[in-house]
Amino acid sequence: MTLSPDGLEAALRAIGAERYHNRHPFHRLLHDGLCSKGQVQAWALNRYCYQAVIPMKDAALMARCDDPEVRRAWRSRLADHDGETDQDGGIARWLGLTDGLGLDRDVVVSQRRALPATRFAALAYLDFVRTRPLLEAIASSLTELFSPAIIGERVSGMLRHYDFVTPETLSYFSDRPPRAARDSAFALAYVKHHATTPARQRAVQDALLFKCDVLWAMLDALQAAYVTPGQIPPGAFVPSDHSGEPA
Amino acid sequence: MTLSPDGLEAALRAIGAERYHNRHPFHRLLHDGLCSKGQVQAWALNRYCYQAVIPMKDAALMARCDDPEVRRAWRSRLADHDGETDQDGGIARWLGLTDGLGLDRDVVVSQRRALPATRFAALAYLDFVRTRPLLEAIASSLTELFSPAIIGERVSGMLRHYDFVTPETLSYFSDRPPRAARDSAFALAYVKHHATTPARQRAVQDALLFKCDVLWAMLDALQAAYVTPGQIPPGAFVPSDHSGEPA
């Protein structure tokens, strides 16, 4: 059965309601103020791997897209993340956060101390966008439909609970919501317009599920390494306040 | 400083001694008989993702190799895993194991219920072999230097402890050690011959570290989802004897 465009949108929003990573226990720990500074450091250091891959996946998407209109709309994502200089843009603001948390910038950028599972998840996202049909690549960006809400929770929770976090170090998040809303509106309209068969509508939903898995797996890895009694994999970042036994 | 070929081999063996996944807690649980049947099922179902990718990565390696001698030596790996029919070969034997554990073969092959982190780790291995220099791609296979020992431990421990496991269902492992020894001897000789500068020797060691991370991350994911109080990610396999709360 083919869904109407609005029916497809409803199905996509239902996936987000069930599978977006705001439902992960680590997100709740983080925004409820229950993380140690070391756990927040681990989150920021690991999430950098994802941030670093975003403009690469956006470039990969445009590299496979023969429609100038889509490329034009997509291009702002590159500028948002890479900025005009190394002082602005999303990656620079993320490094402002890791700086503010006292992490060595070279270590963060090298990704050497990130959890392998995080790097593998980010790479899976890049590979998906490089290799799947364009419609699915665009649909995999639709987790941004749900990000304004999570960012609001995260910023207010972190500012309220952590004295080592400031509005300045969280500046990455302050301008994301309007950009995410603009970008996800474009991607959603594209998907609603082009996913006109049951197979394409299934593929679009699977792409969003895949992307939810990517985000979820990154928090799973943090939870296992830094929250549950589990162990930090060999070679990964060990916070100075870590109480568990590193592997 | 450039290591001698034997010095390089010693450095590679030292990486295995420290980082190979026989040191992971899940390996100990598995071979000491401390896993439930559901945990053994989860291990076999997830590990299938890795088995499925091996002949793809071997083909990717040969696709980038302009030396007929290397391709000829490497070719037996494809036959080992894919067999002559769908009844023999490593993948078929792995499916014999999952059959023997009572898992639905279609579910296993679809990888739909595998942990996303497992799929991402297997994909990272495939991507590494597809994209890194040939020397590094070959070096990433060197975990096989260490597999005969782990297979011996695993088979004897599983047969001793689990009444739901038989020599027949473990037939995958019975012929792996001589093949692994043959294949890793070739790869080691290649690496020792071609890694003749400090940079190449470093790259070779990093490739082996990367591969150890892949294997380790797969066991980390199992440990987090099926052993520690952690949660099974949404959509993943839930064993019928699972006592935890699924996510």
Side-chain angles (χ1 to χ4, degrees):
Chain A
M1 187 192 77
T2 308
L3 301 170
S4 69
D6 287 347
L8 178 59
E9 176 174 347
L12 294 167
R13 291 190 182 277
I15 288 170
E18 192 190 350
R19 302 282 285 264
Y20 192 55
H21 63 162
N22 65 324
R23 305 204 48 184
H24 194 283
F26 193 87
H27 171 72
R28 290 200 291 271
L29 289 182
L30 183 69
H31 90 256
D32 288 349
L34 299 174
C35 284
S36 66
K37 182 172 180 183
Q39 288 166 334
V40 177
Q41 287 175 321
W43 166 74
L45 177 140
N46 275 277
R47 167 78 180 238
Y48 177 81
C49 304
Y50 176 74
Q51 300 300 134
V53 116
I54 289 176
M56 295 170 71
K57 74 92 188 164
D58 287 324
L61 191 147
M62 289 189 286
R64 312 175 46 226
C65 173
D66 61 6
D67 182 341
E69 186 186 339
V70 175
R71 287 200 306 271
R72 266 194 302 274
W74 215 265
R75 200 170 61 206
S76 59
R77 294 170 181 247
L78 277 187
D80 286 350
H81 287 278
D82 285 336
E84 299 300 329
T85 72
D86 63 1
Q87 305 295 313
D88 65 327
I91 291 177
R93 279 194 291 277
W94 198 270
L95 290 171
L97 170 60
T98 57
D99 286 349
L101 291 168
L103 292 165
D104 183 301
R105 187 177 275 228
D106 289 340
V107 170
V108 173
V109 171
S110 77
Q111 304 185 32
R112 281 197 312 274
R113 298 286 174 246
L115 296 165
T118 306
R119 287 188 271 112
F120 300 160
L123 179 66
Y125 185 28
L126 181 57
D127 182 75
F128 186 96
V129 174
R130 280 177 174 158
T131 60
R132 307 291 295 184
L134 185 66
L135 177 64
E136 295 175 42
I138 288 177
S140 71
S141 75
L142 285 174
T143 44
E144 280 200 305
L145 282 172
F146 319 117
S147 76
I150 200 177
I151 287 175
E153 277 189 341
R154 190 185 285 145
V155 169
S156 64
M158 289 180 74
L159 288 175
R160 190 162 59 244
H161 293 295
Y162 301 122
D163 58 10
F164 49 85
V165 162
T166 65
E168 190 180 36
T169 56
L170 290 184
S171 73
Y172 172 80
F173 298 109
S174 58
D175 77 341
R176 282 305 305 156
R179 295 173 198 257
R182 173 202 66 199
D183 290 345
S184 61
F186 177 86
L188 180 62
Y190 182 94
V191 161
K192 289 168 73 172
H193 185 70
H194 288 85
T196 50
T197 67
R200 285 181 177 200
Q201 294 186 336
R202 183 68 254 161
V204 157
Q205 294 175 69
D206 284 346
L208 180 56
L209 280 167
F210 161 79
K211 177 66 175 302
C212 288
D213 282 345
V214 167
L215 297 172
W216 194 277
M218 292 197 296
L219 295 190
D220 267 352
L222 285 168
Q223 182 90 9
Y226 298 106
V227 181
T228 45
Q231 325 202 101
I232 299 175
F237 172 67
V238 180
S240 57
D241 61 5
H242 184 67
S243 55
E245 285 291 305
Chain B
M1 185 193 77
T2 308
L3 300 170
S4 69
D6 287 345
L8 178 60
E9 176 175 346
L12 293 167
R13 291 190 182 277
I15 288 170
E18 191 189 352
R19 301 281 284 265
Y20 191 54
H21 64 161
N22 65 325
R23 305 205 48 183
H24 194 284
F26 193 88
H27 171 72
R28 290 198 293 270
L29 290 182
L30 184 68
H31 89 258
D32 288 348
L34 300 173
C35 284
S36 66
K37 182 172 179 183
Q39 289 166 334
V40 177
Q41 286 175 321
W43 166 74
L45 178 140
N46 275 277
R47 168 76 182 240
Y48 177 81
C49 304
Y50 175 75
Q51 300 301 135
V53 115
I54 289 176
M56 296 169 71
K57 74 92 187 164
D58 286 324
L61 191 147
M62 288 189 287
R64 312 173 48 226
C65 172
D66 61 6
D67 182 341
E69 184 185 342
V70 174
R71 287 199 306 272
R72 267 195 301 275
W74 215 264
R75 201 170 62 206
S76 60
R77 295 171 179 246
L78 277 188
D80 286 349
H81 287 278
D82 285 336
E84 299 300 329
T85 73
D86 63 1
Q87 304 296 313
D88 64 327
I91 291 177
R93 278 193 291 276
W94 198 269
L95 290 171
L97 170 61
T98 57
D99 287 349
L101 291 169
L103 293 165
D104 184 301
R105 188 178 274 226
D106 289 341
V107 170
V108 173
V109 171
S110 77
Q111 304 187 30
R112 282 197 311 274
R113 298 288 174 245
L115 296 165
T118 305
R119 287 188 271 110
F120 300 160
L123 179 65
Y125 184 28
L126 181 57
D127 182 76
F128 187 96
V129 174
R130 280 177 174 157
T131 59
R132 306 291 296 186
L134 186 66
L135 176 65
E136 295 175 42
I138 289 177
S140 71
S141 75
L142 285 174
T143 44
E144 280 200 304
L145 283 172
F146 320 117
S147 77
I150 199 177
I151 287 176
E153 275 188 343
R154 191 185 284 144
V155 171
S156 64
M158 290 180 73
L159 288 176
R160 189 162 59 244
H161 293 295
Y162 302 121
D163 58 10
F164 49 87
V165 162
T166 65
E168 189 178 36
T169 56
L170 290 184
S171 73
Y172 172 80
F173 297 110
S174 58
D175 76 341
R176 283 304 305 156
R179 295 172 198 258
R182 173 202 66 200
D183 290 345
S184 61
F186 177 86
L188 180 63
Y190 182 95
V191 162
K192 288 169 73 173
H193 185 71
H194 289 86
T196 49
T197 67
R200 286 180 176 203
Q201 294 185 337
R202 184 67 254 161
V204 156
Q205 293 175 70
D206 284 346
L208 180 57
L209 281 166
F210 161 80
K211 176 66 175 303
C212 288
D213 282 345
V214 167
L215 297 172
W216 194 277
M218 292 197 295
L219 295 189
D220 267 353
L222 285 168
Q223 181 92 10
Y226 297 106
V227 180
T228 46
Q231 325 202 100
I232 299 175
F237 171 69
V238 180
S240 57
D241 61 5
H242 185 65
S243 55
E245 285 291 306

